[in-house]
Amino acid sequence: EDTLHAKQTGEDMRYWVCTFSNNQWKMSEEIPPLAPPSESSFYKALRSPSCLGTCMILDERVVPLSRAWCLFELLQTFLIQDEVPSRESLNILTSSGVMNSGKCSIDTAMAIGKQLTILDLQNAGASKDADKRLIFTAVETAGGFAAINAKLKLRIRKVIGVVANQFDQDLQQLHVELGKQRGAFC
């Protein structure tokens, strides 16, 4: 909705894509060793007043959720949503569309949902143990893994509901359209 508003009014929309915004080969320059996660560019970008929400690109195996830094971004997204309820929360993007808008493959939504039934964010890894410890400490300080796992599953459950509703509407519309077609029966 915000993107549509920006297009209609001519406003600029900016997106932070951490994969492209950080030099992945020189992360020690991006995040100083042993610095708290709040010193990371991830934290600063998400906490910026100009940041309207978080988009997470998920595949059917939910690979990003196996990474500690993605877990940190997810944690910040949920904390910000608690602090500023009017702010857009987590948007789930897939190869087949945006789940939050219902415009995504039902198969993709099902696969993501099934993966989340067995996912435990406490299994997230990091290339540096020190980063993992700092991020896990931040999670524990904010309520623990049970809380963040529950919030993620609740959020995805709601989004899957949107996908299911859209799928039902699309099916009903198709049913109506097929009923309108008349022709010779062979």
Side-chain angles (χ1 to χ4, degrees):
E1 291 175 19
D2 289 326
T3 303
L4 178 60
H5 172 73
K7 285 180 183 177
Q8 291 172 341
T9 62
E11 295 176 35
D12 286 336
M13 293 289 293
R14 292 179 184 90
Y15 294 88
W16 164 269
V17 182
C18 65
T19 300
F20 304 125
S21 301
N22 293 306
N23 184 340
Q24 300 293 315
W25 304 107
K26 295 183 179 180
M27 286 306 291
S28 61
E29 293 175 19
E30 298 287 340
I31 306 167
L34 301 177
S38 60
E39 292 297 315
S40 69
S41 53
F42 309 120
Y43 181 89
K44 292 173 183 175
L46 289 170
R47 291 288 177 164
S48 167
S50 64
C51 180
L52 300 176
T54 303
C55 296
M56 181 173 280
I57 301 171
L58 285 182
D59 61 350
E60 292 182 359
R61 296 178 300 141
V62 299
V63 170
L65 295 173
S66 69
R67 299 182 184 128
W69 279 107
C70 292
L71 166 61
F72 180 71
E73 293 171 9
L74 182 67
L75 172 66
Q76 292 309 310
T77 298
F78 289 152
L79 291 174
I80 292 165
Q81 182 68 41
D82 290 345
E83 296 163 13
V84 186
S86 62
R87 184 167 162 188
E88 194 172 330
S89 183
L90 180 64
N91 295 291
I92 305 297
L93 286 62
T94 71
S95 62
S96 63
V98 180
M99 286 182 69
N100 303 61
S101 67
K103 302 294 185 185
C104 127
S105 152
I106 195 78
D107 292 332
T108 300
M110 290 291 295
I112 289 171
K114 285 179 182 176
Q115 284 296 315
L116 287 176
T117 64
I118 58 172
L119 179 78
D120 183 351
L121 294 169
Q122 196 160 5
N123 295 326
S127 57
K128 294 182 181 177
D129 284 336
D131 288 349
K132 182 177 176 178
R133 283 192 299 275
L134 289 169
I135 292 165
F136 278 34
T137 298
V139 170
E140 291 298 341
T141 301
F145 281 95
I148 194 168
N149 278 314
K151 274 191 174 193
L152 174 62
K153 290 175 183 180
L154 177 63
R155 181 70 181 147
I156 295 296
R157 184 172 184 251
K158 288 178 182 177
V159 170
I160 286 175
V162 172
V163 173
N165 287 337
Q166 184 63 51
F167 182 73
D168 286 344
Q169 289 175 14
D170 292 346
L171 256 150
Q172 289 173 13
Q173 181 62 35
L174 180 60
H175 183 74
V176 168
E177 289 173 21
L178 288 171
K180 290 179 183 177
Q181 296 181 1
R182 307 249 191 256
F185 187 79
C186 297

